[in-house]
Amino acid sequence: MNKTAIILGATGLTGGLLLQKLIEDKDYSSIKLFSRTKIEGLPSKVTQYIGNLLDLEQFKADFKAHQVFCCIGTTASKTPDKSVYKKIDYGIPVAAAKLAKANGIDTFVVISSMGANPNSSIFYNKTKGEMERDVKQQNISRTFILRPSLIGGQREERRMLEKIGLAIFKVLQPLFIGKLKQYKITEPDHIAQAMINLANSTSYAEVIITSTDIKRITKNN
């Protein structure tokens, strides 16, 4: 179908899985990556734009596609400075949504987090909530905001205590039943597949996609 997709955050775990899925998907003839660092060994259908993502406006002329997938996100351990953290987790997705709107892109899919709330007293939740609010204000006709719970998978930068915490959380998964199901670990592969399914859906109307929605939408592949 000769679709062009933009990915922000393809060097991360979920973004990397999304990239591989789109490379294998014959409906996509072109994939544009906007990153700080280059990824080696990619096929010719992938074009990389390397630069400072905190200044996305510099890419405006090339920021053109049918769909935008935003997988940008950092952690407090990687980015302890709250002002820098907000520039990444809030600033980049909102700037991307503004560019998408300006360039007539009608599909914008972004990863947020469970608990996102612009009025929260918790900095992380407040930042995600403000991001969601301002992305929605761009009024892109097909906007999907995914709110996964704790994201599973193996990350090189994950510290030992985080790995232990995730292992314990996995052991407790069978106890998460009923309303607690939403707190089960969300696999990054499920997030990536749900993003693609949502972007290509003609019937899904919800903007906010919960962790349980993500798993259900993934099964529609």
Side-chain angles (χ1 to χ4, degrees):
M1 296 176 66
N2 295 321
K3 294 178 183 176
T4 297
I6 285 173
I7 303 178
L8 296 106
T11 56
L13 177 59
T14 304
L17 291 169
L18 174 66
L19 172 59
Q20 289 304 313
K21 288 177 181 294
L22 294 185
I23 287 173
E24 295 167 6
D25 193 326
K26 294 181 180 179
D27 286 345
Y28 292 85
S29 60
S30 176
I31 304 167
K32 297 181 177 182
L33 306 185
F34 293 86
S35 309
R36 289 185 305 167
T37 56
K38 186 177 181 180
I39 302 174
E40 300 294 339
L42 296 179
S44 60
K45 71 187 287 185
V46 181
T47 304
Q48 301 189 65
Y49 300 87
I50 309 302
N52 181 9
L53 296 189
L54 298 180
D55 180 24
L56 266 183
E57 187 69 23
Q58 66 180 301
F59 297 114
K60 184 174 182 179
D62 296 305
F63 204 89
K64 296 177 180 178
H66 298 97
Q67 303 165 349
V68 175
F69 298 95
C70 186
C71 305
I72 290 293
T74 186
T75 63
S77 59
K78 288 178 63 179
T79 312
D81 187 319
K82 288 185 176 180
S83 64
V84 177
Y85 184 104
K86 188 163 185 177
K87 287 178 181 179
I88 297 171
D89 266 43
Y90 167 87
I92 296 176
V94 173
K98 289 180 177 179
L99 280 183
K101 181 67 174 181
N103 286 344
I105 302 172
D106 68 359
T107 302
F108 189 88
V109 189
V110 60
I111 301 173
S112 181
S113 176
M114 177 183 288
N117 183 344
N119 300 314
S120 176
S121 60
I122 301 172
F123 174 75
Y124 177 82
N125 292 349
K126 181 179 177 65
T127 300
K128 290 295 189 182
E130 290 174 343
M131 179 274 288
E132 291 185 3
R133 178 197 65 202
D134 292 350
V135 164
K136 287 188 287 187
Q137 284 181 355
Q138 305 314 308
N139 293 316
I140 297 171
S141 59
R142 303 184 70 253
T143 297
F144 300 104
I145 299 172
L146 284 74
R147 289 181 178 174
S149 58
L150 179 65
I151 300 176
Q154 296 295 324
R155 292 178 177 83
E156 291 182 2
E157 76 275 10
R158 189 166 257 156
R159 297 181 180 182
M160 182 56 65
L161 286 177
E162 293 174 315
K163 290 180 179 179
I164 294 172
L166 183 59
I168 294 172
F169 203 73
K170 285 182 177 180
V171 172
L172 297 176
Q173 294 298 289
L175 302 178
F176 290 17
I177 58 177
K179 291 183 178 180
L180 293 178
K181 282 185 178 181
Q182 63 180 319
Y183 297 105
K184 283 190 173 184
I185 291 171
T186 307
E187 295 299 335
D189 185 76
H190 291 173
I191 299 172
Q193 189 61 58
M195 294 178 85
I196 297 171
N197 290 359
L198 286 164
N200 294 289
S201 170
T202 57
S203 59
Y204 207 86
E206 297 295 327
V207 173
I208 301 298
I209 314 300
T210 67
S211 60
T212 50
D213 289 335
I214 290 170
K215 294 171 185 176
R216 177 173 53 82
I217 293 167
T218 300
K219 294 177 181 178
N220 294 335
N221 181 36

